[in-house]
Amino acid sequence: MNITGVELRRISMPLVAPFRTSFGTESVRDVLLVRVIADDAEGWGECVAMTSPRYSAEYVDAAADVLRRFLVPAVMAAGLSAARSVAEVLAPFKGHRMAKAALEMAVLDAELRAENRSFGRELGAVRERVPCGVSVGIMDSVPELLDAVEGYLAEGYVRVKLKIEPGWDVEPVRAVRERYGDDLLLQVDANTAYTLADARQLARLDPFDLLLIEQPLDEEDMLGHMELAKRVRTPICLDESIASARDAVAAIRLGACRVVNIKPGRVGGYLEARRIHDVCVAHGVPVWCGGMLETGLGRAANVALAAMPGFTLPGDTSASGRYYASDITEPFVLDDGHLDVSTGPGLGLAPVPDRLAEVTTASEWLTL
Ligand code: OSB
Ligand code: MG
């Protein structure tokens, strides 16, 4: 697989509504795309790093920098035999998993397109469509939240995740549970906003029969999650804390989580994501596919991943319209609460050139 050029392209995508989490508010998604040109095909990757290092240490300008200086030159010089080797070539460079994931995704897309195989087939998808949840941001008031949830349920989402933080937890959860009933699949995500000292407050969520509490404590606080798991009945799910299959095994064996959120960008790519799926299945731990407000490119790959057998909980794989008035690919549209897994070669779709041009803010080409 001879890679002759790599494009780093920045796009600016306005969100349909500001998305507020415990770590900040996002109104525009500043996305870095990676396009790999190989002899026999081209491929696209999407970097999920955000504008500032608040979800995790990575941020989009740093991802562009490390790709430009180190990762892309290493991959181009390596004379890769397959996308499977990308992680090995990049291993000498510490961290920067979101940047690595974007490059591996682009190489994998190119490889699969050249071989006429789909992401779903490569990852081991066993479903043609996946059930979809929606992640609902922190709002200014409970009535505003109830309206937002009502709209999403009317659209067909099969599971609701509420973003929480101290001061916005029991009250919104109670309101949504009371209004929409016990059958609603409901979970919460704190994005590290609590400490172990908040264990009693978090245990107040127990009566509401949540599927899980996602990442209540600091990303590095594995022992804290282990201790918290003894003090709350609701299953703990880890997001930020899990950077690899090794982390997943450690967290499960320590009893720090009973569910794992798999985000390919966070863990260095779709191939490591598949390994996390495999170790979780081996330990009887359910997984679901997280999201990072991806465009249609990342969404296509995430939906394919979510079609693997161990993804037994609905993911944050929402339709394009939940994020963007106009996506850079053909939009993903919800059908009866589900999204279809693409079956075409590679991702099964590519950016629509005119749309991509409209949102592009910068582009640079890297060659050997
Ligand atoms: O923690 O899951 C998270 C979005 C950006 C960063 C972190 C998270 C999220 C979401 C939204 O919850 C998931 C999505 O719909 O893409
Ligand atoms: Mg999360």
Side-chain angles (χ1 to χ4, degrees):
M1 181 174 206
N2 184 35
I3 297 173
T4 55
V6 173
E7 182 190 20
L8 300 183
R9 184 185 281 255
R10 289 286 280 277
I11 63 173
S12 177
M13 301 275 289
L15 291 164
V16 291
F19 183 61
R20 179 172 158 204
T21 64
S22 63
F23 62 82
T25 303
E26 212 75 18
S27 301
V28 178
R29 192 75 174 89
D30 177 6
V31 185
L32 170 65
L33 301 179
V34 178
R35 180 184 182 188
V36 162
I37 312 293
D39 283 344
D40 35 12
E42 68 172 56
W44 288 91
E46 174 168 349
C47 181
V48 302
M50 303 185 83
T51 307
S52 56
R54 292 176 186 274
Y55 163 75
S56 70
E58 291 189 79
Y59 61 100
V60 64
D61 282 333
D65 190 73
V66 77
L67 279 158
R68 179 189 303 123
R69 285 176 196 266
F70 302 105
L71 308 184
V72 170
V75 160
M76 287 206 289
L80 283 182
S81 56
R84 158 169 26 88
S85 324
V86 170
E88 207 175 281
V89 169
L90 299 182
F93 305 104
K94 308 293 189 193
H96 297 284
R97 288 181 170 85
M98 292 176 179
K100 291 175 177 176
L103 180 53
E104 185 195 73
M105 176 181 167
V107 174
L108 185 56
D109 185 34
E111 176 181 315
L112 294 174
R113 279 182 211 265
E115 296 174 0
N116 206 16
R117 289 186 292 137
S118 68
F119 254 71
R121 181 175 154 193
E122 176 68 11
L123 294 173
V126 295
R127 286 183 276 267
E128 289 173 7
R129 51 184 219 147
V130 301
C132 299
V134 60
S135 175
V136 185
I138 294 167
M139 309 256 161
D140 291 333
S141 70
V142 167
E144 201 184 323
L145 174 71
L146 292 175
D147 282 352
V149 170
E150 175 140 342
Y152 290 130
L153 293 177
E155 288 176 47
Y157 287 103
V158 304
R159 184 227 69 192
V160 168
K161 163 169 135 181
L162 303 182
K163 290 293 197 176
I164 60 167
E165 66 183 1
W168 181 264
D169 43 34
V170 175
E171 196 196 351
V173 166
R174 174 185 290 120
V176 169
R177 187 49 99 204
E178 280 177 3
R179 171 83 166 264
Y180 299 105
D182 293 341
D183 289 343
L184 174 66
L185 299 181
L186 185 62
Q187 63 192 54
V188 294
D189 185 1
N191 290 108
T192 77
Y194 295 84
T195 71
L196 194 52
D198 299 312
R200 292 177 67 161
Q201 176 67 10
L202 292 168
R204 291 183 62 209
L205 294 170
D206 284 342
F208 301 105
D209 238 341
L210 302 178
L211 289 167
L212 55 91
I213 304 177
E214 182 178 349
Q215 197 69 43
L217 312 182
D218 188 84
E219 81 175 280
E220 294 177 358
D221 196 3
M222 201 67 94
L223 292 178
H225 284 103
M226 177 183 117
E227 185 56 37
L228 181 65
K230 298 177 198 154
R231 304 196 206 167
V232 301
R233 263 195 300 118
T234 310
I236 300 210
C237 168
L238 292 177
D239 172 356
E240 286 89 329
S241 291
I242 307 295
S244 64
R246 179 162 51 200
D247 286 350
V249 171
I252 292 165
R253 293 186 58 171
L254 283 168
C257 70
R258 287 199 269 156
V259 184
V260 172
N261 165 333
I262 302 184
K263 284 181 186 169
R266 193 191 68 221
V267 305
Y270 286 87
L271 302 181
E272 184 70 10
R274 179 171 61 185
R275 282 191 282 275
I276 296 181
H277 162 275
D278 294 348
V279 300
C280 288
V281 168
H283 286 82
V285 166
V287 302
W288 55 281
C289 184
M292 291 291 287
L293 316 176
E294 286 90 345
T295 74
L297 294 174
R299 194 157 311 285
N302 285 352
V303 168
L305 180 74
M308 293 181 73
F311 285 78
T312 53
L313 292 167
D316 284 343
T317 49
S318 305
S320 296
R322 182 258 171 270
Y323 312 93
Y324 306 111
S326 175
D327 208 334
I328 54 169
T329 62
E330 291 302 325
F332 280 81
V333 178
L334 214 58
D335 174 18
D336 185 29
H338 291 66
L339 290 183
D340 288 337
V341 179
S342 305
T343 52
L347 295 170
L349 47 63
V352 176
D354 289 350
R355 266 302 292 153
L356 184 62
E358 274 168 24
V359 293
T360 296
T361 55
S363 162
E364 64 186 289
W365 282 93
L366 308 172
T367 50
L368 250 188

